[in-house]
Amino acid sequence: MIIDIHGHYTTAPPQLGAWRDQQIAFTKGDGDAPDPSTLQISDDEIRETIQANQLKLMNERGSDVTVFSPRASFMAHHIGDLAVSQTWARICNDLCARVRDLFPDRFAMGAMLPQSPGEDPATSVAELTRAVEELGAVTVNINPDPSGGFWTAPALTDRSWYPLYEKLVEYELPAMIHVSTSAKPVFHTTGDHYLNADTTAFMQLLKGDLFRDFPDLKFVIPHGGGSVPYHWGRFRGLAMALGKPELEEHLLGNVFFDTCVYHQPGIDLLTSVVPADNILFASEMIGAVRDVDPRTGNYFDDTKRYVDATTSLTDDQRAQVFEGNARRVYPRLDRALTARGL
């Protein structure tokens, strides 16, 4: 199987964005808070958006299953207060669960959390629990910077995150570390903000000893790990300077990277530096980079081509990247696939 562990509902029906616009207006003092019940999206409208977009590309590119979560840039945790984020998270998570229900052999559900700047991370536990127990989520996205570029949140190793981590371990749920929209114009959301955050998250984990307390906790750092593979020697050296073990011992039992890297040299580097057991196939298709590369004639985000072509992986390692690692890191996904005979 080809399992893509990084997909977002970037093509949701326009009613979703229109409802969110009303909610954002409310946070600015313009009108009342919109009622979630006024957001009406039919099953047929969901089918149309998926069949014409994600499912079409999955079939063309040869991927079988996508882990599908709310649009990352739409999370925008810096907008409004905790109540605003809680309402928005429920709406977006319910919608992704409906996608999974309509296409159960092709999509698994991932959830967003209702984070808000200055709020205790424990406030997200209730929605995490609902997403798993009621909606069947196989992963959640954790935003290490709910402020949208101001980095006011405690480091991922801070004990304030522990109630959330305890639930993740209890549910055998890996978390993708994924920021959202930049609130600072100097940062481009999907360019430097996303990739900076990937690098920052890795460095936060390197500086701490989180996995001594949570040996079973699993994190996926997306977009190939930001700058991490390119600067692997720097991070090894910093680990030594900080008195930490080698990265393989210190982090790689718990930290994984995806293949959302949009050119062949990038995938070649990732797969030659990071052990194959720590790489999971992903594309984030119809996401940050949607165009065709004029140098190759293929879409930038058709990452399966790069994984197929790299000489840094053996055939057995390639199978692990495409399927085996996802089944191991995402136990709930594996059980859901197995239950369907997949």
Side-chain angles (χ1 to χ4, degrees), residues 156-228:
L156 291 167
T157 52
D158 189 84
R159 296 189 69 87
S160 62
W161 292 94
Y162 278 27
L164 195 61
Y165 298 161
E166 289 166 359
K167 273 297 182 184
L168 291 174
V169 172
E170 176 187 340
Y171 286 134
E172 296 182 284
L173 213 68
M176 179 172 283
I177 307 300
H178 205 309
V179 290
S180 185
T181 303
S182 170
K184 299 181 72 174
V186 71
F187 293 139
H188 184 278
T189 291
T190 59
D192 46 350
H193 184 48
Y194 277 18
L195 302 184
N196 289 344
D198 302 334
T199 305
T200 298
F202 186 81
M203 191 65 204
Q204 287 182 357
L205 297 173
L206 187 156
K207 290 188 295 182
D209 295 293
L210 176 64
F211 303 118
R212 288 183 183 177
D213 290 341
F214 293 96
D216 296 323
L217 183 63
K218 300 289 190 295
F219 286 146
V220 177
I221 299 181
H223 319 117
S227 74
V228 173

Side-chain angles (χ1 to χ4, degrees), residues 30-287:
D30 183 7
D32 297 327
D35 185 342
S37 68
T38 63
L39 175 59
Q40 299 293 318
I41 298 175
S42 70
D43 286 353
D44 283 344
E45 287 172 315
I46 293 174
R47 288 190 187 94
E48 289 171 7
T49 62
I50 295 297
Q51 289 172 336
N53 294 288
Q54 283 85 0
L55 193 58
K56 175 178 180 289
L57 293 179
M58 288 169 65
N59 291 336
E60 290 176 355
R61 299 176 187 182
S63 61
D64 297 298
V65 174
T66 296
V67 178
F68 208 55
S69 63
R71 185 173 183 172
S73 63
F74 265 30
M75 295 191 299
H77 294 114
H78 62 280
I79 294 175
D81 58 13
L82 179 60
V84 167
S85 288
Q86 287 173 331
T87 300
W88 182 233
R90 288 182 68 93
I91 286 172
C92 293
N93 289 338
D94 287 348
L95 196 59
C96 285
R98 290 176 65 190
V99 172
R100 186 272 325 281
D101 291 343
L102 291 170
F103 302 94
D105 291 337
R106 305 304 299 275
F107 292 93
M109 186 233 168
M112 65 177 278
L113 297 177
Q115 299 174 249
S116 188
E119 296 288 348
D120 193 317
T123 58
S124 289
V125 169
E127 180 61 16
L128 185 155
T129 299
R130 187 187 80 92
V132 173
E133 296 187 359
E134 298 182 22
L135 303 181
V138 302
T139 186
V140 294
N141 297 328
I142 290 179
N143 186 349
D145 173 34
S147 69
F150 293 91
W151 288 94
T152 59
L156 291 167
T157 52
D158 189 84
R159 296 189 69 87
S160 62
W161 292 94
Y162 278 27
L164 195 61
Y165 298 161
E166 289 166 359
K167 273 297 182 184
L168 291 174
V169 172
E170 176 187 340
Y171 286 134
E172 296 182 284
L173 213 68
M176 179 172 283
I177 307 300
H178 205 309
V179 290
S180 185
T181 303
S182 170
K184 299 181 72 174
V186 71
F187 293 139
H188 184 278
T189 291
T190 59
D192 46 350
H193 184 48
Y194 277 18
L195 302 184
N196 289 344
D198 302 334
T199 305
T200 298
F202 186 81
M203 191 65 204
Q204 287 182 357
L205 297 173
L206 187 156
K207 290 188 295 182
D209 295 293
L210 176 64
F211 303 118
R212 288 183 183 177
D213 290 341
F214 293 96
D216 296 323
L217 183 63
K218 300 289 190 295
F219 286 146
V220 177
I221 299 181
H223 319 117
S227 74
V228 173
Y230 187 70
H231 286 289
W232 197 252
R234 176 182 292 255
F235 291 111
R236 287 187 60 236
L238 289 170
M240 291 177 60
L242 293 169
K244 304 299 182 184
E246 280 279 0
L247 296 180
E248 288 80 2
E249 177 185 351
H250 186 44
L251 297 180
L252 294 193
N254 307 84
V255 177
F256 303 84
F257 303 85
D258 77 12
T259 62
C260 292
V261 179
Y262 295 150
H263 68 152
Q264 190 66 52
I267 290 293
D268 292 343
L269 174 71
L270 173 68
T271 53
S272 64
V273 171
V274 176
D277 285 347
N278 290 82
I279 302 172
L280 289 80
F281 175 70
S283 69
E284 202 176 12
M285 65 168 64
I286 317 182

